[in-house]
Amino acid sequence: MSKARKILVTAALPYANGPIHLGHLVEYIQTDIWVRFQNLRGNRCIYICADDTHGTAIMKSARQRGCTEEQFVAMMHDAHRRDFAGFDVEFDNYGSTNSPENREYCEEIWRALQDKGLIAQRQVVELFDSQTGETLPDRFVKGTCPNPRCGATDQYGDNCDRCGSTYSAIDLIDPISTISGTPPVKGESEHFFVNIEALHEFLDEWTQSGEHLQDEVANYLKSHFLEAPLRDWDVSRPAPYFGFEIPGTHGRHYWYVWFDAPIGYMGSTREWCKRRGEDSDEWWRGESTEIHHFIGKDIQYFHCLFWPAMLRVAGFNLPDKVHIHGFLTVNGRKMSKRDGTFVMAATYLKHLDPAALRYYYAAKLGPRLDDIDMNLDEFVAKVNADIVGKVVNLASRTAKFVESTGLSPVYPDDGGLFAQAASVADEIAAAYESCDYNRAVRLVLEMADRANPYVENAAPWSLKKDPGRAKELQDVCTVALNLFRQIAVYLSPVLPRLAKQTEELLGQPIRHWDEVQTPLVGTPVAPFRHMMQRIDKKDVQAMIEESRESALGAESPKPQPLQDSDEALKAEPLAPTCTIDDFTKVDLRIARVVSAEHVPDAEKLLKLVLSLGGEERRTVFAGIKKAYQPEQLVGRMVVMAANLAPRKMKFGLSEGMVLASGPGGAEVFLLGADSGAKPGQRVH
RNA sequence: GGGCCCGUAGCUCAGUGGUUAGAGCAGGGGACUCAUAAUCCCUUGGUCGGGGGUUCGACUCCCUCCGGGCCUACCA
């Protein structure tokens, strides 16, 4: 046998601003199958992934939830892990881009780029949210299409979905920030760029070598990017931004989320290595390591241009292959919330067996970038017919005849069936290796199509009636169960649970691909237990219904142009003018809520402990109980009046006041601070 | 407008120069009753999108037209 390969595999890092859905799972299941296949072949293969946690969208989501970005991404991290585990997607490490390991790698790569003189600085005109000061990506601005012949309202800042014209968000008429609902302000700020053109020749060679990319990907890159000089890549965003600060910029600049996201593959590898006492350089600089990325076609250029360039400059291993897949459609159409076909992983798991989806995706996935369609009727029919009707049925119809005797001591004559199935091993392996899973599955199913007629002809149920033919009965079942086991081995990357159940039934572990070459003989057979339920169409329907409902419930109101009522001002008219000196007497400080708890017997009060940074702590009783749950508050930044004279209250001493607006009761709104503010900073 | 892919039985697809084009599902008929109304046998069904060309020979190669999908449209 050839030497074991050492393979590092990644799937794209899911963005931490939403739950995993069936579209995501195409990739994670595709990758999981590949990793399991490699390990079954005796290679050393690790599956590395992480949450992609930075950027404007995360800041917005966190704010909507009233928590810090860190809390928000921690919550998503748990949810993602749960979803993946539910589908038997097993990562060796599932990290986060917001980790110290990732920061180390970002800084290392950044230094390399700087040392090679590939970083430039330039002013960029862009839009900012007038309330939060955040940069607004085009997609976060909506307004009226600037095309004079169109004028459609409520369009995103990158293009118009009515007339199809493209433009910059700056050109939109009556633009509105989707973050605060206010008009954005135009501003100029300094950005850092990578001179990627310096790597043009290298990228030409690397992408066109035919070794690393699918042909259509190489063509796409060549015609769209490589035939002209590559533009500088904008890799920074001005503060405030949730991400890593660029060293030496004094908190003014952060790396753009797409700079640190792919580096997250390395950061996550290092997390894993630390846990295992390994050196991550073994994986990212070692000569004998292969690196394989699995991604969707939407993020090709990041992974096939910028990423190899960065790795190259910093002296890391380049990917051996970037495997790119298409998108998922359901019943021939884009997944749609309205149709109920935008199904979350967690929703699927409430109604259906994860193995069914794994099998169906495997049966659909090929080595190319075509979208794959999940036809729900076909899904039901295929899983029921193939797995339950043909494969599991083999065991289900024979196992109990040999429950008391076990398998025959010598493998009987089976007309060459076992040998034939064993001889296809290389062909199936090649199909898995090249991600041609539908071919692999087809080849395996042919075996089941030969095995069932064998059982039919041998008729063990008839043999059973004649005690004189007990040996024959045992032989027939020995053949059937060995044919079944071969199938279970071949499909074990796709259906790990079925492989486990087969191990339990036959009392022998499935550890290696080559187990298909040797029949089991003379071993006991455990009582048969159902291995997989048939899919009931009603369950699919219920899943669709639930997806439709939850989508309706979650429909977020569109930001309205501001038409504020004068109610609040009338209710509480402006106070008399004060001087700046009056104002500065009040020392307002940013503080972080370190704990929050209910006060027994108090109607309105929550007891908060606030940190002003370092060891400074203040206990404050705040009348916000009807508006906030304590757990919502922990970790949040608030503004406090810090030099207010302490006041003795019924429940203890209150050493300040947190600032909030609203008439009271449940209508209380705490003041927060934009990302980047630090506890202890004075508010001026 | 450009790039890529696809168009084979009702449906999903296999088949890349060589016997009368295949499979699964669905349809029809039958068998069995071990098995999760699973299984097995037989069977209906295709001018391989249209046209032209290369070839002794094309679903398979070339050209062209028609139809569909994805990407892209001087943004990444």
Side-chain angles (χ1 to χ4, degrees):
Chain A
M1 210 187 85
S2 57
K3 209 176 135 227
R5 294 151 65 189
K6 191 171 165 189
I7 310 170
L8 173 77
V9 176
T10 71
L13 312 187
Y15 201 42
N17 71 339
I20 300 301
H21 55 66
L22 295 189
H24 287 112
L25 286 166
V26 171
E27 176 170 313
Y28 301 96
I29 289 175
Q30 178 188 41
T31 312
D32 186 70
I33 290 171
W34 204 78
V35 171
R36 287 178 188 271
F37 164 73
Q38 295 299 345
N39 281 311
L40 188 67
R41 296 279 281 174
N43 296 317
R44 182 160 185 240
C45 183
I46 60 172
Y47 188 2
I48 297 293
C49 198
D51 266 346
D52 180 13
T53 58
H54 292 154
T56 312
I58 300 288
M59 298 165 77
K60 181 180 173 185
S61 298
R63 195 174 308 119
Q64 279 169 349
R65 287 226 158 209
C67 62
T68 63
E69 286 92 354
E70 286 82 358
Q71 288 173 317
F72 182 76
V73 301
M75 186 186 75
M76 289 311 305
H77 193 258
D78 290 344
H80 286 181
R81 292 189 68 136
R82 224 175 9 252
D83 289 341
F84 289 131
F87 283 89
D88 291 325
V89 172
E90 276 182 16
F91 301 108
D92 289 276
N93 196 66
Y94 194 80
S96 163
T97 56
N98 198 41
S99 72
E101 290 81 4
N102 199 38
R103 188 191 290 266
E104 288 165 16
Y105 271 123
C106 288
E107 290 176 354
E108 182 174 352
I109 289 174
W110 187 249
R111 264 197 309 278
L113 290 165
Q114 281 181 320
D115 290 348
K116 297 251 163 68
L118 297 176
I119 304 295
Q121 284 171 256
R122 274 208 301 281
Q123 294 293 117
V124 169
V125 177
E126 60 193 332
L127 295 178
F128 297 89
D129 187 281
S130 63
Q131 304 297 301
T132 67
E134 287 162 53
T135 340
L136 291 170
D138 287 351
R139 278 259 142 185
F140 280 66
V141 183
K142 286 189 128 185
T144 301
C145 173
N147 178 351
R149 278 165 308 188
C150 174
T153 55
D154 203 31
Q155 296 303 315
Y156 285 113
D158 48 359
N159 65 67
C160 173
D161 65 18
R162 165 101 70 84
C163 71
S165 61
T166 57
Y167 41 78
S168 158
I170 290 177
D171 304 327
L172 276 180
I173 298 163
D174 298 333
I176 290 289
S177 160
T178 63
I179 287 183
S180 64
T182 60
V185 291
K186 203 191 283 188
E188 212 173 73
S189 61
E190 188 162 64
H191 280 233
F192 291 83
F193 292 83
V194 177
N195 172 17
I196 194 118
E197 174 61 11
L199 282 295
H200 198 133
E201 196 180 333
F202 156 71
L203 287 171
D204 236 334
E205 198 179 305
W206 188 82
T207 60
Q208 305 302 311
S209 74
E211 289 171 24
H212 312 299
L213 304 172
Q214 288 127 300
D215 291 344
E216 54 265 59
V217 177
N219 291 343
Y220 162 77
L221 296 172
K222 186 162 189 63
S223 62
H224 281 86
F225 301 101
L226 292 166
E227 281 185 343
L230 296 162
R231 298 167 153 240
D232 287 353
W233 182 30
D234 184 352
V235 290
S236 75
R237 292 295 180 268
Y241 192 73
F242 182 57
F244 291 140
E245 185 181 325
I246 300 179
T249 65
H250 311 289
R252 291 202 304 269
H253 298 279
Y254 288 75
W255 281 307
Y256 174 46
V257 54
W258 262 110
F259 179 80
D260 67 59
I263 298 174
Y265 298 141
M266 306 172 81
S268 184
T269 308
R270 184 167 279 174
E271 285 177 38
W272 180 82
C273 286
K274 279 186 178 168
R275 212 166 56 233
R276 307 258 311 192
E278 293 200 28
D279 178 1
S280 52
D281 273 354
E282 280 287 306
W283 292 92
W284 285 95
R285 294 196 212 261
E287 290 206 350
S288 58
T289 315
E290 290 176 44
I291 296 172
H292 292 253
H293 298 304
F294 286 77
I295 62 167
K297 62 184 177 183
D298 51 331
I299 54 177
Q300 292 178 60
Y301 73 85
F302 289 109
H303 284 80
C304 302
L305 296 175
F306 299 143
W307 179 232
M310 284 157 70
L311 291 170
R312 166 79 164 195
V313 168
F316 290 105
N317 287 348
L318 293 161
D320 290 84
K321 280 220 161 70
V322 182
H323 307 264
I324 305 180
H325 60 81
F327 296 143
L328 179 74
T329 56
V330 179
N331 288 340
R333 308 171 62 173
K334 265 172 122 163
M335 297 196 302
S336 138
K337 289 184 174 165
R338 172 182 286 207
D339 295 344
T341 52
F342 206 99
V343 181
M344 298 306 163
T347 309
Y348 176 101
L349 290 172
K350 272 198 244 171
H351 300 277
L352 296 164
D353 183 347
L357 192 73
R358 291 181 66 102
Y359 177 74
Y360 184 74
Y361 280 174
K364 294 295 252 185
L365 275 167
R368 296 217 257 85
L369 278 75
D370 305 306
D371 289 350
I372 74 168
D373 182 47
M374 178 167 188
N375 179 288
L376 294 171
D377 290 334
E378 188 200 22
F379 167 67
V380 173
K382 198 161 185 60
V383 171
N384 287 348
D386 290 0
I387 299 301
V388 182
K390 287 179 183 168
V391 174
V392 173
N393 190 230
L394 272 175
S396 153
R397 66 195 308 201
T398 56
K400 72 172 188 184
F401 296 130
V402 282
E403 204 180 298
S404 55
T405 63
L407 300 181
S408 301
V410 177
Y411 190 73
D413 179 12
D414 64 2
L417 286 174
F418 188 90
Q420 186 182 8
S423 72
V424 195
D426 287 346
E427 206 178 340
I428 298 171
Y432 274 120
E433 177 74 36
S434 62
C435 295
D436 200 352
Y437 300 166
N438 84 69
R439 178 173 165 77
V441 166
R442 225 171 32 241
L443 289 168
V444 175
L445 258 289
E446 283 175 16
M447 296 171 194
D449 281 333
R450 285 191 295 265
N452 273 306
Y454 167 85
V455 176
E456 202 76 20
N457 289 330
W461 51 95
S462 303
L463 298 174
K464 190 185 75 170
K465 291 174 184 156
D466 184 350
R469 304 179 77 179
K471 165 87 170 71
E472 258 179 90
L473 174 64
Q474 190 189 22
D475 282 353
V476 167
C477 295
T478 298
V479 170
L481 288 171
N482 268 294
L483 296 176
F484 167 72
R485 183 166 184 267
Q486 279 179 312
I487 292 169
V489 173
Y490 282 137
L491 289 181
S492 68
V494 179
L495 300 173
R497 287 188 201 179
L498 182 69
K500 268 270 165 297
Q501 289 161 327
T502 304
E503 292 177 347
E504 284 161 17
L505 179 70
L506 300 176
Q508 290 293 314
I510 293 172
R511 294 205 187 99
H512 199 281
W513 187 255
D514 291 341
E515 317 231 8
V516 296
Q517 301 297 333
T518 318
L520 287 183
V521 286
T523 52
V525 175
F528 181 79
R529 282 190 296 195
H530 271 14
M531 294 179 166
M532 206 169 152
Q533 296 296 324
R534 302 174 62 74
I535 301 178
D536 189 331
K537 271 190 177 178
K538 288 196 194 102
D539 293 331
V540 174
Q541 204 46 49
M543 174 183 82
I544 296 296
E545 287 305 323
E546 188 182 331
S547 299
R548 204 195 319 262
E549 284 161 19
S550 62
L552 289 178
E555 225 162 69
S556 55
K558 300 223 168 73
Q560 298 292 322
L562 296 181
Q563 290 185 330
D564 296 327
S565 113
D566 56 358
E567 207 179 306
L569 195 58
K570 280 189 177 153
E572 195 172 353
L574 288 176
T577 306
C578 74
T579 66
I580 184 83
D581 293 333
D582 292 333
F583 174 71
T584 50
K585 281 183 192 157
V586 183
D587 191 349
L588 299 174
R589 297 282 172 162
I590 301 294
R592 188 189 296 282
V593 180
V594 295
S595 76
E597 56 193 62
H598 286 291
V599 180
D601 302 329
E603 231 176 282
K604 295 196 279 190
L605 295 180
L606 288 182
K607 181 180 175 184
L608 307 179
V609 176
L610 304 177
S611 163
L612 289 173
E615 299 300 315
E616 275 303 312
R617 296 287 182 276
R618 297 292 160 82
T619 301
V620 171
F621 290 90
I624 56 173
K625 179 175 180 150
K626 295 208 169 114
Y628 292 91
Q629 292 298 314
E631 51 273 19
Q632 286 178 287
L633 297 171
V634 177
R636 249 188 92 152
M637 297 291 193
V638 295
V639 180
M640 77 174 294
N643 61 341
L644 202 59
R647 183 179 179 87
K648 183 143 171 38
M649 302 176 76
K650 183 174 168 192
F651 309 101
L653 192 66
S654 187
E655 304 167 309
M657 218 171 128
V658 293
L659 271 54
S661 69
E667 300 264 295
V668 172
F669 309 99
L670 281 174
L671 268 62
D674 284 343
S675 177
K678 295 191 171 55
Q681 287 176 338
R682 182 159 185 188
V683 179
H684 298 284

